Amino acid sequence: MNLHYPFTLMPLPYPYEGLSPQLDARTLYLHHDKHHNAYVQKLNQLLAPYPTLHRWPLERLIAQPSLLPQPVRRQIPWQAGGVYTHNLYWHCLAPQGRPLPPGDFSQAIARAFGSLSGLWEEVQKLAAGPIASGWVWLVCDRQGALHLAATQNQDTPPLHRVCPLMAVDLWEHAYYLDYQNRRADYLAQIFPLMDWQRIASHYRYGLQWAAIPQPQDRPPSPRR
Ligand code: MN
């Protein structure tokens, strides 16, 4: 997968029927090949006229909107966010799920939420809040502590402050065919599909990211 323009659609890491019966093959096909792919294609269309942006990774396109050309300053982060969020979402799921490995991540979960089911109860509470279309996230901060966050639309948490480890799609297209409007049922059913080994590997990456000294945040100078 390209890390910059032209972006390509990440292959689904399992077959369309890999998450059934909780999420059926038609949901995965439409969600990946249609919704996710549309973000990739629209992002490439928006970037095409701007060669100076062709080496920018997704994170930068999302996190530095003030450096983007004014006509596309709102649209590029939206579409780049759609690509980023779905790339992470697919990797957080696995056929039959994969259990939480012992180690740093498991201990961080115990500290923050007591247990995995404690974490998921908090996910359910956040998802029951006023999010029409959006995401619930598990992130780690620069101290390696875990937090949950909810965002609207294709927004991500602030990528210069936290490292996303897990993203759960709350848009209706993620679950409507299987659960109609029953978001809580969708979340309860996918809990056993979560790939905690993969999410633990994101935490190891997050700890490396947290160890890199960061330059002082300075106000970006708008490009004109
Ligand atoms: Mn989606």
Side-chain angles (χ1 to χ4, degrees):
M1 201 181 84
N2 273 356
L3 296 177
H4 53 72
Y5 176 89
F7 291 97
T8 52
L9 178 63
M10 180 197 98
L12 202 59
Y14 25 78
Y16 294 124
E17 62 277 11
L19 301 180
S20 65
Q22 290 93 335
L23 294 173
D24 82 5
R26 204 155 74 96
T27 290
L28 261 64
Y29 167 72
L30 291 168
H31 196 174
H32 177 264
D33 287 35
K34 301 298 178 188
H35 291 280
H36 188 176
N37 194 34
Y39 287 109
V40 175
Q41 303 311 325
K42 286 178 192 162
L43 177 60
N44 286 336
Q45 286 165 20
L46 288 168
L47 290 170
Y50 300 103
T52 54
L53 303 178
H54 287 184
R55 308 292 291 184
W56 283 35
L58 279 176
E59 290 82 352
R60 193 168 180 211
L61 293 168
I62 292 166
Q64 298 196 309
S66 60
L67 297 182
L68 296 172
Q70 200 278 332
V72 288
R73 193 168 289 169
R74 287 169 62 86
Q75 296 170 65
I76 283 181
W78 177 291
Q79 303 297 342
V83 179
Y84 180 95
T85 51
H86 287 93
N87 287 355
L88 184 55
Y89 174 68
W90 297 124
H91 279 306
C92 291
L93 295 160
Q96 280 102 52
R98 292 201 295 169
L100 181 64
D104 287 353
F105 182 54
S106 168
Q107 289 162 19
I109 286 179
R111 279 195 297 276
F113 308 104
S115 64
L116 261 192
S117 48
L119 183 162
W120 207 253
E121 280 173 30
E122 295 300 317
V123 167
Q124 286 274 22
K125 281 185 204 162
L126 273 177
I131 307 164
S133 299
W135 296 77
V136 169
W137 302 81
L138 179 67
V139 302
C140 76
D141 63 23
R142 292 202 173 275
Q143 285 69 48
L146 299 179
H147 308 275
L148 288 169
T151 61
Q152 302 281 350
N153 302 319
Q154 299 299 350
D155 290 350
T156 68
L159 297 179
H160 55 290
R161 290 216 301 272
V162 297
C163 180
L165 312 178
M166 174 187 91
V168 179
D169 198 337
L170 300 181
W171 286 58
E172 275 190 346
H173 66 231
Y175 59 86
Y176 197 83
L177 295 177
D178 300 282
Y179 303 99
Q180 292 76 51
N181 61 335
R182 302 189 308 276
R183 179 185 282 176
D185 288 358
Y186 153 68
L187 290 172
Q189 291 297 318
I190 66 167
F191 181 45
L193 297 178
M194 299 307 292
D195 186 345
W196 297 108
Q197 287 184 33
R198 176 81 189 204
I199 299 166
S201 79
H202 297 165
Y203 184 64
R204 286 195 295 277
Y205 171 82
L207 293 179
Q208 290 169 17
W209 161 85
I212 301 168
Q214 295 299 306
Q216 286 292 318
D217 281 344
R218 48 175 174 256
S221 52
R223 183 169 305 185
R224 302 193 191 277

